[in-house]
Amino acid sequence: MSTTPSSPLHLAVALDGTGWHPASWRDPVARPRDLFTAGYWADLVAEAERGLLDFVTFEDGLGLQSTHRLQPDGRTDQVRGRLDAVLLAARIAPLTRHIGLVPTTVVTHTEPFHISKAIATLDYVSTGRAGLRVRVTARPNEAAHFGRRTIPRLDDYESPAAREVLTGLFDEAADYVEVVRRLWDSWEDDAEIRDTATGRFIDRDKLHYIDFEGRHFNVKGPSITPRPPQGQPLVSALAHRTVAYRLVARQADIGYVTPHDPGEAHSIVAEIRAEQEAAGRAGRPLHIFGDLVVFLDDDPAAATARRERLDALAGYPYAGDARVFTGTPAQLADLLQELRSAGLSGFRLRPAVLGHDLPAITRELVPELQRRGVFRRAYEADTLRGLLGLARPANRYAATATA
Amino acid sequence: MSKPLKQIHLAAHFPGVNNTTVWSDPEAGSHIEFSSFAHFARTAERAKFDFLFLAEGLRLREQGGKIYDLDVVGRPDTFTVLAALAAVTEHLGLTGTINSTFNEPYEVARQFASLDHLSGGRSAWNVVTSWDAFTGENFRRGGFLPQEERYSRAKEFLATAGELFDSWRGDEILADQADGTFLRDAKAGSFVHSGRHFDIEGQFDVPRSPQGRPVIFQAGDSDEGREFAASSADAIFSRYATLQDGQAFYTDVKNRLAAYGRRHDQLLILPAATFVLGDTDAEAEELAKEVRRQQVSGATAIKHLEFVWNRDLSSYDPDGSLPDVDPDVGEDHIARGRAQVRMYRDPLATAREWRELAAANNWSIRDLIIETGNRQSFIGSPATVAKTINDFVQADASDGFILVPHITPGGLDGFADKVVPLLQEQGVFRTEYEGPTLRDHLGLAHPDDARDERVAS
Ligand SMILES: Cc1cc2nc3c(=O)[nH]c(=O)nc-3n(C[C@H](O)[C@H](O)[C@H](O)COP(=O)(O)O)c2cc1C
């Protein structure tokens, strides 16, 4: 993927609760009582669409949110509880027209057959705007919600034992995505023929068994859902370390990474490109997006003060996996341009307080980027693939048939 | 004094993947595009129907080792469509068929609880247990369960999901911005379930939804299926839409309720029903014949005969007479992923009966299938159909019907415009929704009321 200065900058927003700061729900603009209503999410996505953003992601998990990496934390002073992200995205789809909708799915405990048809259907209900963010979980408590497998406690991710478990989970995730993708291709685009002369509704030669056989599971196919409008909805994943970079390189269309400066961005991009090459996917379009938590105010001191006030309410200084930016929209635009020249093609911004920082993105950052000539002034495509400059892929089975 | 008139419940089944759905008609649209679902749902809501119903099948049907290509093939994902439909409707209940064999309780419970939140209390779950190892090949747990195990899993699945739904009382979220308490209770959602099929524990992560739990439907027909419904369901989706069969089923199932301490009105019987409308009864009869011929082509008739004969009959002429050879009663069946096959539990007897019928009426194979297969339940002018439906409900053949039009997506329009007003005039069908939730439409108690009674006593 070329990242020449003339190529457009892509911008997504990650939606989670009332925002990414754990005390965001206490901000007067937050609507914590509305979190479990469709209207709340519809308003957020409408705002993102007003800002011409490429897509929104919806966070999800198979257990209560926690400040602890491995277990529930028993806290009562932060947002807890959430709705299924795929359903949420589907609920919003008919209310929007252009913006991409990318729900999170935990692949460790769910069925690729189910998620394949769910995302294909999200693509139908949004007429071509669906994506998927795959997530691996090593939390023992989430495994206990399913009772089908136990996952050992990985206190130190870098120990050899932990690495082995993580590698297993990520390999399984790669197989999962492979199954999902094959199922999307398991119907050729023109499989439905409605041939009244012969009485055949479909041409069954254009439906394919995927016959996936892997270490973790086998899946026969074909899908029960015809190939979705985009052919292949976009697959994305968040990645912080080599095992995850490998998953991104092998199976994703978009990887979210968390560099803290341009130098780090450069080396992460290099590592992912090398993994792509090793996986035989060199040159395949793959967007690498930088993730940033953002506090945006016209006055940098106001942003810092806001962050400090929320930290005080939370009882600890917030620091997550991603860099936390506090400053003005113009300063953020500078940073994004700088990171972009390190090889990132876009950004997934995580608003610290959705009610405040999302409108700051759509109403101030976006116009700033437009002034600089690096961001769209109108939606130029109807599909998420189109917005990201990705072609509709050929069907792997149709290609084999005609080869 | 005469009995007060029963109120009729009506629902709309989106036309699906069997030969009831006519795809060759010029009016037939897409059965996949969201615009079809939206049109269908809006019609149902305009007509004040109780709910929209989606069936499910998790593997494409096969016959003779090949994917079945004569009927509509393919369908979108149930949860995803229903969530999207919640955006384009306000009152209509949203009922999804979800299998208890190829899913896990934690995931299904959070999907239904989410759907209930996202629709403002309109979700319902039709719990099905089918199918077999053939379907299991699409799932990582691979597996399937022997027939006798499936209801055992279904029962425990539903009970477990119930424990998850009940793990939040509904008052845990304080969201007190001033004092910083979001959750009143750190243990909200806690559950432990230890049983034969599920051994799980932790915290459910979706707060209590508007209906507390989705409305529960059941759609199995065996003795076990009926007991399951009598013990655990709010409604049954049955296949008995004729007066006599309907009454027999109705009596049987309602009589099973007492054993579970339940009243007659706590389980609704809603058969699937098809219909053909005309300006006059005679016109409707003519139209119904045409529809039947569209539904049963020669090729379809042969395939349908194979459901009973369990052999390749492709060399037979659909316009000729029935095979002389007897059905093959082997273990494996030529058709896979098919519910119909189960309707012929004694194929030799069915074959005998069909031969006699065909001989007596001088019917070809196709004639026989047209006459014996899924004939339309209600045929006539709007007045006739309205009267028949009402008579059936008042005579306890059902509590209403789940209508299955034969055309996507416009097949409900005529019924909504012409039959519903007549039922409303007779005072047996609502003119306005009673309340916001599906439980309100169905006249079912809110589960919290039952729970509060239990706690109080
Ligand atoms: C009217 C009716 C509709 C059904 N619809 C479905 C369906 O959409 N999907 C499905 O997997 N099974 C469906 N089933 C199958 C039942 O859920 C059940 O698994 C099957 O009938 C076997 O149970 P039984 O032995 O109690 O009949 C349906 C059954 C009936 C009677």
Side-chain angles (χ1 to χ4, degrees):
Chain A
M1 172 118 321
S2 100
T3 48
T4 56
S6 63
S7 67
L9 181 150
H10 296 286
L11 213 49
V13 161
L15 303 179
D16 188 19
T18 52
W20 287 78
H21 193 285
S24 58
W25 69 273
R26 298 184 64 182
D27 191 293
V29 300
R31 296 161 56 190
R33 284 167 198 281
D34 296 345
L35 277 172
F36 305 98
T37 65
Y40 172 79
W41 299 94
D43 290 348
L44 293 175
V45 181
E47 181 64 37
E49 189 168 61
R50 213 169 290 135
L52 308 177
L53 304 191
D54 291 78
F55 61 93
V56 293
T57 60
F58 301 89
E59 294 303 303
D60 206 358
L62 294 171
L64 282 185
Q65 300 92 326
S66 174
T67 50
H68 195 286
R69 193 156 49 82
L70 287 175
Q71 62 200 41
D73 60 8
R75 294 184 81 120
T76 56
D77 63 336
Q78 297 180 2
V79 168
R80 293 293 180 266
R82 57 184 151 205
L83 302 179
D84 181 273
V86 176
L87 271 77
L88 194 50
R91 176 66 176 75
I92 305 304
L95 308 176
T96 52
R97 293 183 64 84
H98 297 284
I99 194 162
L101 302 167
V102 182
T104 299
T105 274
V106 173
V107 297
T108 309
H109 302 296
T110 60
E111 293 284 352
F113 191 85
H114 286 317
I115 205 65
S116 170
K117 66 185 159 62
I119 300 300
T121 303
L122 181 62
D123 211 36
Y124 278 105
V125 303
S126 65
T127 54
R129 296 181 284 126
L132 167 66
R133 180 201 151 201
V134 296
R135 183 177 158 193
V136 167
T137 175
R139 288 172 181 259
N141 68 303
E142 293 188 9
H145 292 161
F146 288 79
R148 279 161 54 176
R149 66 203 295 178
T150 44
I151 292 176
R153 252 189 87 102
L154 308 179
D155 285 302
D156 172 12
Y157 277 179
E158 302 305 331
S159 75
R163 276 172 185 237
E164 192 183 318
V165 172
L166 287 177
T167 302
L169 290 173
F170 277 90
D171 283 348
E172 180 184 17
D175 279 0
Y176 188 110
V177 178
E178 177 65 18
V179 167
V180 167
R181 287 188 176 285
R182 286 195 200 178
L183 287 168
W184 286 335
D185 277 349
S186 66
W187 290 55
E188 292 183 34
D189 292 318
D190 50 359
E192 184 180 316
I193 51 171
R194 298 194 188 220
D195 182 26
T196 41
T198 58
R200 291 175 310 143
F201 180 77
I202 47 151
D203 176 353
R204 63 176 158 228
D205 293 337
K206 296 191 170 177
L207 265 54
H208 304 275
Y209 295 99
I210 68 164
D211 284 322
F212 179 85
E213 292 184 16
R215 248 184 50 183
H216 310 276
F217 46 84
N218 302 337
V219 176
K220 181 81 186 165
S223 179
I224 59 165
T225 308
R227 192 163 193 246
Q230 292 183 100
Q232 294 271 319
L234 295 177
V235 176
S236 63
L238 173 64
H240 300 113
R241 51 170 53 75
T242 301
V243 274
Y245 296 152
R246 193 167 296 148
L247 173 66
V248 165
R250 281 153 78 184
Q251 282 291 7
D253 303 294
I254 307 168
Y256 312 111
V257 299
T258 52
H260 285 69
D261 56 61
E264 211 186 333
H266 201 86
S267 61
I268 292 172
V269 170
E271 190 174 352
I272 293 178
R273 297 295 175 208
E275 289 288 351
Q276 246 191 306
E277 188 142 342
R281 291 178 93 222
R284 266 280 293 257
L286 171 63
H287 279 288
I288 304 176
F289 275 39
D291 266 22
L292 295 166
V293 176
V294 297
F295 285 90
L296 293 175
D297 283 287
D298 293 339
D299 170 3
T304 305
R306 217 154 46 82
R307 179 178 176 181
E308 284 167 356
R309 200 166 58 241
L310 288 179
D311 281 352
L313 284 174
Y316 58 94
Y318 170 67
D321 55 331
R323 171 169 172 176
V324 181
F325 173 89
T326 47
T328 67
Q331 288 171 329
L332 179 58
D334 290 341
L335 176 63
L336 299 187
Q337 287 191 280
E338 197 186 346
L339 285 167
R340 192 159 70 113
S341 42
L344 301 178
S345 54
F347 299 90
R348 186 176 72 142
L349 303 179
R350 308 184 192 172
V353 178
L354 276 167
H356 181 103
D357 297 297
L358 175 60
I361 291 167
T362 53
R363 296 167 197 216
E364 290 168 48
L365 173 68
V366 163
E368 177 65 30
L369 292 170
Q370 287 169 332
R371 270 192 292 279
R372 299 180 186 200
V374 293
F375 195 68
R376 71 171 62 85
R377 288 178 179 275
Y379 279 110
E380 69 276 18
D382 291 333
T383 67
L384 179 53
R385 277 193 170 272
L387 294 178
L388 290 170
L390 302 174
R392 188 173 190 277
N395 187 315
R396 74 194 68 195
Y397 298 106
T400 334
T402 53
Chain B
M1 214 181 82
S2 63
K3 244 172 48 170
L5 284 180
K6 274 167 77 180
Q7 286 295 305
I8 297 173
H9 296 285
L10 289 176
H13 184 306
F14 188 83
V17 297
N18 56 50
N19 74 304
T20 305
T21 305
V22 173
W23 53 260
S24 53
D25 194 289
E27 302 266 296
S30 170
H31 57 286
I32 299 289
E33 302 296 332
F34 183 63
S35 55
S36 284
F37 287 90
H39 176 100
F40 194 73
R42 286 185 175 122
T43 306
E45 182 159 284
R46 170 162 65 82
K48 307 287 188 288
F49 274 30
D50 293 61
F51 58 92
L52 175 144
F53 184 95
L54 295 182
E56 185 183 56
L58 295 171
R59 177 125 185 226
L60 300 184
R61 290 163 176 173
E62 289 182 4
Q63 199 150 330
K66 290 180 180 150
I67 292 171
Y68 194 85
D69 59 1
L70 301 178
D71 295 344
V72 166
V73 182
R75 52 176 126 207
D77 177 66
T78 299
F79 281 119
T80 315
V81 169
L82 293 182
L85 286 176
V88 299
T89 54
E90 246 180 88
H91 294 281
L92 190 67
L94 303 165
T95 304
T97 299
I98 294 292
N99 196 293
S100 61
T101 305
F102 305 108
N103 287 288
E104 296 298 324
Y106 193 93
E107 193 183 10
V108 169
R110 83 190 291 277
Q111 288 168 314
F112 272 114
S114 297
L115 181 61
D116 208 48
H117 279 289
L118 292 169
S119 63
R122 300 188 272 140
S123 75
W125 173 14
N126 178 33
V127 187
V128 295
T129 60
S130 45
W131 217 249
D132 46 18
F134 173 70
T135 305
E137 285 178 351
N138 279 337
F139 296 96
R140 63 155 96 198
R141 67 189 296 271
F144 76 103
L145 291 163
Q147 169 78 9
E148 59 281 9
E149 288 272 324
R150 283 196 263 122
Y151 275 112
S152 148
R153 180 174 163 109
K155 248 187 152 144
E156 193 179 328
F157 194 114
L158 184 58
T160 308
E163 288 160 25
L164 296 173
F165 295 133
D166 285 352
S167 67
W168 291 71
R169 283 195 56 89
D171 57 359
E172 291 91 345
I173 295 185
L174 272 182
D176 185 330
Q177 290 180 309
D179 91 349
T181 310
F182 184 84
L183 271 189
R184 191 197 299 277
D185 174 9
K187 295 263 174 274
S190 296
F191 68 92
V192 180
H193 177 97
S194 181
R196 217 159 87 71
H197 299 277
F198 308 107
D199 211 342
I200 62 176
E201 64 176 328
Q203 261 178 301
F204 189 51
D205 66 343
V206 184
R208 199 161 181 83
S209 69
Q211 289 191 117
R213 302 169 169 211
V215 172
I216 302 298
F217 283 73
Q218 187 272 356
D221 196 22
S222 60
D223 198 54
E224 268 189 297
R226 293 178 189 204
E227 285 300 322
F228 176 52
S231 69
S232 320
D234 299 305
I236 298 188
F237 177 44
S238 86
R239 61 164 68 102
Y240 303 108
T242 63
L243 184 66
Q244 277 189 346
D245 292 351
Q247 284 175 322
F249 183 81
Y250 192 96
T251 308
D252 176 74
V253 176
K254 296 250 179 178
N255 284 344
R256 293 173 193 249
L257 287 165
Y260 300 97
R262 303 180 72 203
R263 295 188 316 266
H264 265 210
D265 60 354
Q266 288 178 303
L267 178 66
L268 299 171
I269 313 294
L270 303 172
T274 52
F275 60 90
V276 177
L277 298 172
D279 286 343
T280 63
D281 289 351
E283 191 190 301
E285 285 292 347
E286 268 317 297
L287 222 66
K289 273 190 202 134
E290 263 173 57
V291 172
R292 283 304 287 154
R293 289 190 73 77
Q294 285 179 299
Q295 289 170 327
V296 185
S297 66
T300 294
I302 295 293
K303 294 292 180 196
H304 203 113
L305 205 64
E306 290 182 354
F307 296 160
V308 175
W309 259 258
N310 190 25
R311 356 164 136 248
D312 180 358
L313 301 177
S314 51
S315 61
Y316 284 80
D317 175 5
D319 297 319
S321 48
L322 270 64
D324 291 333
V325 293
D326 272 337
D328 180 352
V329 289
E331 274 288 291
D332 289 334
H333 204 280
I334 191 169
R336 299 202 286 179
R338 275 276 175 194
Q340 283 98 319
V341 168
R342 302 171 50 82
M343 283 163 55
Y344 309 111
R345 287 177 206 234
D346 185 349
L348 291 171
T350 304
R352 249 192 327 271
E353 193 189 313
W354 281 8
R355 284 197 189 107
E356 283 165 21
L357 268 174
N361 295 291
N362 197 22
W363 284 340
S364 68
I365 292 175
R366 189 176 178 199
D367 295 335
L368 175 94
I369 299 299
I370 284 177
E371 296 297 331
T372 60
N374 304 302
R375 300 212 49 200
Q376 292 91 352
S377 320
F378 303 113
I379 301 170
S381 67
T384 301
V385 168
K387 179 173 186 323
T388 313
I389 286 179
N390 188 33
D391 288 349
F392 277 35
V393 171
Q394 303 309 333
D396 285 345
S398 77
D399 295 307
F401 292 94
I402 299 179
L403 299 171
V404 192
H406 58 266
I407 296 271
T408 315
L412 202 61
D413 299 3
F415 194 98
D417 295 333
K418 295 183 180 143
V419 182
V420 167
L422 299 176
L423 294 171
Q424 289 169 329
E425 271 169 34
Q426 293 170 47
V428 291
F429 190 66
R430 71 172 66 83
T431 51
E432 290 303 333
Y433 283 104
E434 292 84 356
T437 70
L438 176 56
R439 276 180 200 282
D440 295 330
H441 314 337
L442 294 173
L444 297 168
H446 194 284
D448 289 356
D449 302 341
R451 186 183 57 182
D452 293 344
E453 267 170 42
R454 273 204 308 279
V455 173
S457 63

